[in-house]
Each structure stands twice: as structure tokens, then as C-alpha cells.
Amino acid sequence: MENGRIIVTGGAGFVGSHLCERLLREGHSVMALDDFTTGSPKNVAHLTRDARFKLEVHDVTQPFSFAASRIYNLACPASPPHYQRDPVRTTLISVLGTLNCLLLAQKHNARFFQASTSEVYGDPEVHPQPESYRGAVNPIGIRACYDEGKRCAESLTMDFNRTHGVEVRLARIFNTYGPRMAFDDGRVVSNFIIQALRGEDITIYGDGSQTRSFCYVDDLVDGILRLMEHPEERGPVNLGNPSEFTVLELAEEILSLTGSRSRIVYMPLPEDDPKQRKPVIDRAKAVLGFRPRVSLRDGLTRTIADFRARLEGVPRMSSAGLVASR
């Protein structure tokens, strides 16, 4: 990698904080940009003791100008409760935030990484999902602010590459979990862990037969770095763990690992919630040498330990209403 500072937008978020941590560990200078819409300064508090790390409070929908050799764009609410809270702003973060990052990359001749999502595949009619699949997205549904926002961000990314020569890297990230997930994240792993640890009912939306593939955050960060530093591969490249589990299997595993006596209850499936989600990662394996190494059981064990530690001394607040099986 060239010398120079690395910018991580959304750097105080769940994935962003782990990426910043890894980059610092490898000897780089890192600036995290975050407005704390969903990120938290607590996620990077341990990094602020490092002189090579800087946290800049900034809204990426507004232009910014910092010299950089690498720009990782991870800024965007990524769970349904978060991105549906203000859907117009979610769309603008995806579109204007990506545009501002690309303009900065063009100005400084920096390499740009766009964190796209498996949500661009919508409720897929092809299973599992390869990069060649164009998706089945409802452009006017309640998830469209995120799904279509990310699809537009992909378009901007590739057009800046074709028309302006910006070096780009594009990853479609599948379900990721691990320490530092927000308690109100609203995704299925965090929902189930919080409910199990508090002895609340485990809420499954639908009949529990819908499937997901869960990638531990350390494995994801490894894939992100491999793609960013590949000399030629632009993407899109799927990054995720292809091991597939039903939502019910996940709930039962979390109950087992926590020793919880919570009951499993069933509620109606939310609108446009995908029935199946599993990445084809043949391209990532062949081109990047990417191979997820952390099993679901090991990853959940680490994540549950983190949730337990953070729950100590935290006032009890109901996890009711967290409605997503993403």
C-alpha cells in the first residue's frame, strides 16, 4: 500500500471500527469520519490513544476535503430499523456520501472502496446469489431507501471508474455479526442475543424457515482488505460466509450458548423481507484467496461474551419492536 492516511467513513460503526482497528494494527494512519447516526464514539474509544488515529465528526452528505491514499466508504445505516427511521436521509447518505467520497478520491488520486450490500439482490429469485445476478428489488417498498440507494452507489462507483479513471473496489457484503453490534441494531443475531440474555421471548418473524449466511466480522475485514489491495480486481465481489442456516436454527444455537430459558414466539414476516440469502464466493476465493475461518458457533460465543460484558450496568430497556431477520 502507498504511504498516506486512510479515511474510513462510518469509522465509528460496527464494521468500520473493526476495520480501523485492523488498519492501525498494520501500521497505517487512519481518520474515521462519523456523525454517530448509528455509530458510537465508544466503538473507537480504545483507538484514540494511538497518535496515528483521528476521529472526525462529519456528515458525509456534506462535502469534505482531507488528503488520503485510500478511502473506505462504510457510511450508511445498515439495519432495517435504522435505515427505515429516516428513509430519505438513508438514500442521501448512500448517494451523496458516495459521490463526495469519489470526488475526494478523484482529487487525491486515491483508491476507493465502496461497501455495497447483499440487499442489492432484494428478495432473490436465484439462490445462492452470484455477482452476475441482477436482483429482485421492490423500488417503492419500505426497504428501497437502502436497497436502491446502494444500487445507485454502485452505479456511481463504476461510472467514476469508467469516466474519470478513479481506482475503485466494490464489495457486496452479506450478513455480518460480531462484537460491538448495537443493542438496537435490529438484525437477527443481535435481536436474539439480547432477548436470550434478558430472558425475553425470542421473536422470529415468519415461520423460521427463511435462511441467512452469517460472516464473523474479522473474516469480513480480511476480505475487505484483500479486495482493496488487489492490484486489478474492481468487483463487484461478494464477501460473506456461504454456510447457510435457518433463522430457527440460529435461535436454537443462541439459546444453547447462552443457557437462556427464553421461549420462541412467531410473528408475521415484515414487507419485502428476503426468504433466502446466501453468497456465492467463488470469485472472492479464486481472485482474493478469501476464505471465512470463524465458525458460527465460535463467532456467536465471542459475540455473546461481548454483549454480556456491555450489558453489565446498562439500564434494562425492552428489545420489543426490533423487527428484522436480516
Side-chain angles (χ1 to χ4, degrees):
M1 182 188 295
E2 305 167 9
N3 293 326
R5 181 166 53 187
I6 297 172
I7 291 176
V8 180
T9 70
F14 160 50
V15 174
S17 65
H18 284 275
L19 176 60
C20 289
E21 188 174 64
R22 172 75 176 269
L23 289 167
L24 287 169
R25 195 159 65 238
E26 294 186 355
H28 303 294
S29 296
V30 180
M31 174 182 282
L33 269 62
D34 210 299
D35 67 356
F36 307 132
T37 297
T38 56
S40 170
K42 293 180 180 179
N43 288 337
V44 292
H46 62 299
L47 303 182
T48 58
R49 297 188 291 270
D50 192 323
R52 295 166 302 149
F53 179 75
K54 182 177 182 182
L55 176 61
E56 187 79 19
V57 180
H58 185 79
D59 175 357
V60 295
T61 66
Q62 304 301 313
F64 53 94
S65 182
F66 302 103
S69 63
R70 296 284 190 273
I71 302 169
Y72 292 85
N73 184 29
L74 276 65
C76 191
S79 71
H82 288 171
Y83 64 64
Q84 290 170 13
R85 188 178 300 155
D86 189 344
V88 173
R89 177 167 166 75
T90 295
T91 300
L92 294 176
I93 290 171
S94 287
V95 178
L96 294 180
T98 301
L99 175 63
N100 288 329
C101 287
L102 285 163
L103 289 170
L104 189 66
Q106 182 182 13
K107 178 180 179 180
H108 292 286
N109 195 30
R111 187 175 292 178
F112 171 74
F113 174 90
Q114 172 61 21
S116 190
T117 170
S118 60
E119 297 293 318
V120 301
Y121 298 123
D123 188 1
E125 297 165 342
V126 171
H127 187 76
Q129 295 82 54
E131 292 90 349
S132 58
Y133 177 53
R134 296 183 180 181
V137 174
N138 177 2
I140 58 171
I142 61 172
R143 301 170 75 104
C145 57
Y146 185 67
D147 301 0
E148 296 289 22
K150 287 290 191 176
R151 287 163 72 95
C152 186
E154 287 197 9
S155 176
L156 280 170
T157 297
M158 302 313 289
D159 283 338
F160 261 77
N161 174 257
R162 285 187 288 258
T163 63
H164 300 300
V166 174
E167 265 197 287
V168 301
R169 303 291 185 266
L170 175 61
R172 291 175 178 160
I173 296 171
F174 282 67
N175 290 65
T176 303
Y177 71 100
R180 299 186 206 138
M181 293 183 82
F183 291 163
D184 66 345
D185 181 85
R187 284 177 279 195
V188 65
V189 171
S190 52
N191 279 4
F192 289 176
I193 291 175
I194 284 287
Q195 289 169 337
L197 291 177
R198 289 177 171 160
E200 300 173 353
D201 290 344
I202 301 290
T203 308
I204 289 182
Y205 294 89
D207 63 5
S209 64
Q210 64 269 42
T211 66
R212 296 292 184 269
S213 301
F214 304 102
C215 185
Y216 189 68
V217 65
D218 289 355
D219 285 333
L220 174 68
V221 168
D222 181 63
I224 289 173
L225 293 175
R226 285 172 181 267
L227 177 56
M228 178 62 113
E229 295 312 314
H230 193 278
E232 298 177 351
E233 178 62 50
R234 296 181 307 170
V237 175
N238 287 338
L239 293 179
N241 191 323
S243 297
E244 189 175 17
F245 299 87
T246 68
V247 171
L248 179 57
E249 287 172 335
L250 175 71
E252 291 172 339
E253 183 74 351
I254 288 173
L255 285 172
S256 172
L257 291 171
T258 57
S260 174
R261 296 184 178 181
S262 295
R263 300 180 308 141
I264 293 176
V265 299
Y266 297 86
M267 297 185 70
L269 199 66
E271 178 185 342
D272 295 329
D273 197 70
K275 312 299 187 301
Q276 295 175 304
R277 189 58 63 70
K278 174 182 176 179
V280 174
I281 63 168
D282 293 352
R283 187 183 189 109
K285 284 182 176 180
V287 178
L288 307 179
F290 171 71
R291 283 173 174 77
R293 302 185 184 281
V294 180
S295 71
L296 181 64
R297 189 174 185 84
D298 287 347
L300 286 176
T301 299
R302 300 178 199 178
T303 306
I304 289 166
D306 169 75
F307 271 60
R308 281 190 195 277
R310 288 189 288 143
L311 278 171
E312 292 180 1
V314 176
R316 183 182 178 86
M317 57 180 179
S318 174
S319 58
L322 303 182
V323 290
S325 58
R326 180 164 183 247

